Amino acid sequence: MCWQPAHLQSLPARSALRAQVLGTKAGSGAGLAKVSAGPTGGGVPSSGARGRFSLTCPPGLLFQIIRKALSEEKQVSTKTSAADLVTETDQLVEDLIISEMQKRFPSHRFIAEEAAAAGAKCVLTPSPTWIIDPIDGTCNFVHRFPTVAVSIGFAVNQELEFGVIYHCTEERLYTGRRGRGAFCNGQRLQVSGETDLSKALVLTEIGPKRDPATLKLFLSNMERLLHAKAHGVRVIGSSTLALCLLASGAADAYYQFGLHCWDLAAATVIIREAGGIVMDTSGGPLDLMSCRVVAAGTREMATLIAQALQTINYGRDDEK
């Protein structure tokens, strides 16, 4: 398993913060999610009508924590670089999600961002696995910039089955389940059908590395797309929400080097179920652990983006 709840629950400061925010006794269990087991008993949690999920996290608990903390002073630490930030709230939210999910699915495995940062191995096995980003857009969160999300993906037999992404400040719930469509607040999502790069709005993120060689490659990739006369290249500070914008048809393509499996898992299902393409930057099939991706509304657009890119090496999540 990639995470053990007792590891975080044993920290007095985090337990006290949890109690302060929730108004409960430290260590008491408040309900985070409603998840009913699927017909296989230990496999895919069930979904409701029109592809909407019985997996729900009430704003009164999980998202209230994030929205409240967004406006407050934060304790900020760094991970792999000065631009790779983490706060106590990231860790608290991850703790809450996994603690509650493990009560309902004790045999399931977990891959989660802050556990990985603490040294837990990220290995996707055939076992049912939850892949969690407790706060995507932590730099935004630190600066009170409101593009912040929670992302939860679920895989069985190393296949992504469904994803849930919640935009914490706009209260938009994006969901997708394999074979059942993608939705935002119950409205079906559909990607753009654009195939011409010169008519495309492209999204990306910078990634945590800021050494001169990496920055040169990042800027060169952006320059190549602009030379191809893309309408624009945007960075919003949250890869999961950028990918949701792609799924909703508000953008035509996305690429990044340096994102992680917890950034991709839920969004990949949502984009595919909205009719889009998610693949490796080489043009081959997506490798969830490769720390790189191209996504687009059409295969033609994805291929054009992939062909324009120079590779930035971030290693692999399952080798760190």
Side-chain angles (χ1 to χ4, degrees):
M1 184 176 293
C2 206
W3 191 91
Q4 288 293 335
H7 169 67
L8 292 182
Q9 290 172 340
S10 65
L11 298 179
R14 192 168 303 150
S15 182
L17 176 63
R18 172 178 173 154
Q20 178 184 1
V21 174
L22 300 181
T24 62
K25 294 181 180 180
S28 66
L32 248 188
K34 297 178 181 178
V35 185
S36 53
T40 56
V44 183
S46 66
S47 65
R50 296 195 303 170
R52 288 174 291 177
F53 296 96
S54 56
L55 172 64
T56 57
C57 299
L61 184 60
L62 179 62
F63 306 127
Q64 182 180 354
I65 292 172
I66 296 172
R67 287 198 294 268
K68 182 175 185 293
L70 186 65
S71 62
E72 298 175 340
E73 292 298 320
K74 304 166 186 67
Q75 295 183 14
V76 183
S77 304
T78 59
K79 296 187 285 188
T80 62
S81 74
D84 189 9
L85 307 180
V86 62
T87 72
E88 195 174 34
T89 307
D90 293 78
Q91 297 162 333
L92 170 65
V93 171
E94 183 171 297
D95 178 13
L96 285 168
I97 293 170
I98 297 180
S99 296
E100 294 299 320
M101 297 308 295
Q102 194 169 60
K103 290 175 186 176
R104 291 159 172 78
F105 302 104
S107 65
H108 288 193
R109 298 171 62 90
F110 298 87
I111 295 174
E113 179 177 10
E114 305 315 328
K121 297 297 183 183
C122 295
V123 179
L124 185 61
T125 72
S127 299
T129 303
W130 301 89
I131 305 171
I132 299 163
D133 190 342
I135 299 181
D136 183 52
T138 298
C139 186
N140 288 349
F141 178 70
V142 166
H143 291 275
R144 304 180 186 180
F145 190 83
T147 309
V148 175
V150 177
S151 177
I152 303 174
F154 184 74
V156 180
N157 294 322
Q158 299 177 319
E159 292 287 339
L160 294 168
E161 292 289 342
F162 70 74
V164 177
I165 296 172
Y166 188 78
H167 191 315
C168 299
T169 58
E170 294 189 0
E171 299 186 0
R172 294 179 182 271
L173 180 66
Y174 296 90
T175 62
R177 180 165 179 180
R178 188 158 64 98
R180 302 202 184 181
F183 301 83
C184 178
N185 290 354
Q187 299 297 311
R188 186 176 288 275
L189 297 175
Q190 179 63 49
V191 295
S192 159
E194 187 58 66
T195 60
D196 186 346
L197 184 52
S198 70
K199 297 178 181 178
L201 180 64
V202 181
L203 305 180
T204 189
E205 293 297 331
I206 300 172
K209 287 185 180 180
R210 301 300 164 84
D211 59 278
T214 297
L215 288 177
K216 184 177 180 179
L217 285 170
F218 171 80
L219 294 172
S220 176
N221 282 337
M222 188 177 289
E223 185 178 17
R224 286 170 174 231
L225 295 174
L226 294 174
H227 277 312
K229 303 190 185 305
H231 277 177
V233 180
R234 301 285 185 267
V235 175
I236 68 169
S238 167
S239 55
T240 59
L241 289 177
L243 290 162
C244 286
L245 288 171
L246 171 64
S248 69
D252 304 294
Y254 180 90
Y255 72 92
Q256 189 184 348
F257 297 94
L259 78 176
H260 297 280
C261 57
W262 45 81
D263 298 308
L264 269 176
T268 294
V269 183
I270 293 169
I271 291 170
R272 286 173 173 169
E273 289 302 312
I277 301 296
V278 186
M279 67 185 195
D280 188 73
T281 54
S282 66
L286 175 69
D287 180 345
L288 191 64
M289 295 292 172
S290 69
C291 299
R292 61 192 197 184
V293 70
V294 170
T298 64
R299 183 167 296 277
E300 293 90 340
M301 180 65 70
T303 300
L304 288 171
I305 298 290
Q307 290 172 346
L309 297 177
Q310 301 173 94
T311 298
I312 303 174
N313 184 15
Y314 273 88
R316 297 179 56 83
D317 281 334
D318 54 7
E319 293 178 354
K320 295 175 181 178

